Structures are given as structure tokens and as C-alpha cells.
Amino acid sequence: MASNVGIYGLGKAVPGRVLTNKDLESLVDTSDQWITTRTGIKQRYIAEPETAASDLGYAAALQALADAKVPAAEIDLIIVATTTPDMPFPATACIIQDRLNARNAAAFDVSAACSGFMYGIEIGQAMMALGYKRVLVIGVDVISRLIDYEDRSTCVLFGDGAGAVVLGPVKPEYGFVASEIGADGSGAMLLHVPAGGSRIPAQIASIEAKQHYVRMYGREVYKFAVRIVCESAERVLNKAGITADAVRWFVPHQANVRIIEAAAQRLGIEPGRVYINVDRYGNTSAASVPIALAELAEAGLAEEGALILLVGFGAGLTWGSAVLRWGGYSK
Ligand code: COA
């Protein structure tokens, strides 16, 4: 069951510009108090106009490679999870491959919105079973490009960022001991961007109708999120042969503190074992789980042998979960 694949190194990057709840008060009819009580978010980072997904992804990847002590030339696969690629093609993974000079790596993007990083590590594990040895998985989104800063129901929620991990082989019983990814396309329209693809390509009418921005049915997404985090987490805990008591750290997708707390409570994981940083970043989409994990590791909170439960969910609708036993490097 266990893939004997673990995390060798982590990195993260955010843009320099901070957008606080107070700043948003001057853009839309909202308040710091509403945003804080309904979402737990206090601030988020927003990319400068010249910053694209590959810039943030590259910065996070450099850190992850340095942390892993793996030279770029040893990476044989780069997976970039993003819904805000630099451009429709080439893949952002190829742009990052070139900047890293990771000339021995295959490179492609994965589109699974906020679950993208979880999809990326699932695919990374599967590719390592095929013989790939060092896989760089990057979750990055410049989601602010798809946000209407006149729509208070969405603009308060999201922020930009990138997180990256280097996957490599670990000792038996370490690394990803169980994982899953899933989708329910019947909920595709609950969270989507109508235009910019082949159905409604960019045109003056689509811009005027604001069809290039995120449309979201917040309450439905909220209900889905709490349900799927619990269901998916329970499935991977079962697969791993453990109960929630054994989990040292629960690192969920950071969309809304209320979703996180409701799910943690249902799973029986007390607050001291839940990693939360949504207050500082907002929802960074595919970057959310790897940024949280990178912070956890940076702070020295991930101890050798600790069991970490990762759960992502997002548009699609999609989800992905994994139980990770930290450490066990065989490098
Ligand atoms: N500031 C002030 N008021 C706001 C607001 C804002 N930024 N956004 C919405 N409101 C208003 C609504 O218009 C509504 O007003 P009304 O009752 O007069 O119609 C009221 O607040 C309550 O709206 P509601 O949608 O019921 O709030 P909620 O408690 O469900 O919280 C979300 C809204 C979006 C925070 C919540 O539904 C959520 O987090 N959903 C999941 C979103 C998500 O995680 N998406 C990404 C998934 S990866």
C-alpha cells in the first residue's frame, strides 16, 4: 500500500504586496469583522502585474531543491498544479523547467484547482512507481487574476502564492502511507470561470459580462467542503490502518477557518493538532497545502516519524487526501 515515496525538501513563495481586510473595506462593501468572523482571513498576498505563476513557482521550487539538497539536473519530472498558468500553452511546468535548467525533467501541468497539489503528489507517487526518481511538485496560483475586486462574495477569500516539494524514495513505512484523489463533476458549475477557454474564448462581450472571473455558490461549496474533507480523510486513515488519534498534524486546504474547524471537530482532531495559516494567506488555491506544509517543516514542527494528514478540495469538484509519515530519508 505504502508508496515508499516521501518529501525530501519544501519551499514556498508569495508576492510582496499585502492586501488586508482594511484595504478591502475601501474596495467593496465589507468589513474586517465580517471577513474575520466568516472566514478567519486577515490578509492575503497579491501578485504585482508583472508576476506570473511561473515566477512564484520558480521561487518556491528553488527553495525546495535547496532544502532537499537535490540539484535541478537530478529532477526527472516536474508537475505544476495550477489553474492560472502563465498562458494556455506551453505548460507552466516547461517554463519553470527551463528557468531551473532541469534539463533531464519531463514537465506538465495538472488542472485540479485547489486540489491540484494533492493530485500532483498522487501522480508523482505513481510516476515514481514507473521509475522516475526525483519528482518536483509545485502548487501555484495567481488566482487574483481571476477575481473581480468589485465582487465582495469572492474577492475577500483568495490570495496568490506557490509551494513546492521534492519527492524521493524513503525507508519502508515512511512517506505517503495512503492517499486518494477524487472528483464529482456534477458540481462543476458551483465554482468556475465561464470564459477564457474553448467554450467562450476571450472577446469584448465576455469581458464586458465579467465572464473571466470566478463564479461561486459559496454555501454549496462550503457544505461540500466540510463533507468531503471528513469523508476523504476517513477513507485514507482507514487505508493507512490508523485512526484520527494517531495524526500529529492535520494540514487541510486553507479556504476558510470555519470549514477547517468544522471538519477537524467531526474527525475528532483537537485544535492543537490542526495547522492553520489562512489568516495570513487567504485561499491560495493549489499553493495552499504545500505552503502550510512548508511552514510546518520550517518551524520544526514536523518531527521524524510524525503522521501528517493532508486534505485538499476545490473546483471540479475535486478532492485529494494523504497520510504521510514524516522523514525516513534513504538518500
Ligand atoms: N462582506 C460583507 N457581507 C458579505 C460579504 C462580504 N465580503 N460576502 C457576502 N456577504 C453577505 C451576503 O451578501 C449575505 O447577505 P444577505 O444575507 O443580505 O444576502 C450575507 O453576507 C451572508 O452570506 P452567506 O453566503 O450566507 O455567508 P456564509 O456564512 O455562507 O459565508 C462564505 C460566505 C463565502 C465565506 C462561505 O460560504 C464559504 O466560505 N464558502 C466556501 C467558499 C470556498 O471555500 N471556496 C473555495 C473552495 S476551494
Side-chain angles (χ1 to χ4, degrees), residues 206-226:
S206 67
I207 293 168
E208 284 174 353
K210 295 192 166 196
Q211 290 178 307
H212 295 270
Y213 293 131
V214 167
R215 304 263 172 100
M216 184 181 77
Y217 295 87
R219 273 184 220 179
E220 282 71 15
V221 174
Y222 185 97
K223 282 186 250 165
F224 156 75
V226 176

Side-chain angles (χ1 to χ4, degrees), residues 30 34 38 114 152 156 216 218-219 253 255-256 258 283:
T30 191
W34 191 96
R38 299 295 179 113
C114 299
R152 69 177 183 176
V156 302
M216 184 181 77
R219 273 184 220 179
H253 171 46
N256 182 328
R258 286 161 54 214
N283 179 347

